[in-house]
């Protein structure tokens, strides 16, 4: 709303003009709030689309994954790197990288480390389920 007080508007230009100015200020403020809400909704949709793109990242066989975790306040750090590749084996014997990442995360968390997000090196994207 404008920085003009109601009292100064009424004293200066009469009640009808003051009401018109205040009403137009309120309408402008409402439009501004609606515009900001629309921008936030658009940004949220763009973020969701980006996450969907990241989740859909396809990693070729043999991709090297790397993740790091730090202990807050202590300064310790663990770095885990792995890759999975099968040669001449049926598809039923394949080990999905996310399975290995989840198993490594469980081990790390059992030892007090925070969860690790692993990133693939050929395509710099996080490994997600």
């Amino acid at each position: 709303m404008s920085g003009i007080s109601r009292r100064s508007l009424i004293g200066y230009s009469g009640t009808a003009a003051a009401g018109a100015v205040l009403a137009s200020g309120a309408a402008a403020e409402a439009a501004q709030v609606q515009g900001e809400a629309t921008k936030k909704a658009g940004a949220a949709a763009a973020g969701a689309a980006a996450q969907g793109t990241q989740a859909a990242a396809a990693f070729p066989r043999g991709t090297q994954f790397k993740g790091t975790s730090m202990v807050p306040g202590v300064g310790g750090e663990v770095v885990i790197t792995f890759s999975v590749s099968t040669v001449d084996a049926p598809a039923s014997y394949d080990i999905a990288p996310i399975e290995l990442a989840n198993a490594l995360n469980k081990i790390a968390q059992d030892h007090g480390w925070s969860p690790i997000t692993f990133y693939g090196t050929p395509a710099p994207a996080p490994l997600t389920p």
Side-chain angles (χ1 to χ4, degrees), residues 39-68:
K39 285 180 190 176
K40 287 180 183 177
Q51 279 186 332
T53 302
Q54 290 176 349
F59 296 101
R61 289 185 177 195
T63 296
Q64 185 176 29
F65 295 95
K66 182 178 180 180
T68 305

Side-chain angles (χ1 to χ4, degrees), residues 5-110:
S5 71
R6 289 181 184 184
R7 182 171 290 173
S8 65
L9 279 174
I10 291 171
Y12 180 72
S13 61
T15 56
V21 170
L22 289 174
S24 67
E29 185 176 335
Q32 181 181 7
V33 168
Q34 184 178 5
E36 288 173 5
T38 303
K39 285 180 190 176
K40 287 180 183 177
Q51 279 186 332
T53 302
Q54 290 176 349
F59 296 101
R61 289 185 177 195
T63 296
Q64 185 176 29
F65 295 95
K66 182 178 180 180
T68 305
S69 180
M70 298 179 75
V71 178
V74 176
E77 179 181 56
V78 64
V79 178
I80 299 176
T81 305
F82 72 91
S83 65
V84 180
S85 184
T86 55
V87 179
D88 297 329
S92 62
Y93 286 89
D94 284 349
I95 300 170
I98 192 68
E99 290 180 70
L100 196 53
N102 290 338
L104 291 169
N105 256 321
K106 181 174 179 353
I107 293 168
Q109 288 175 334
D110 287 348

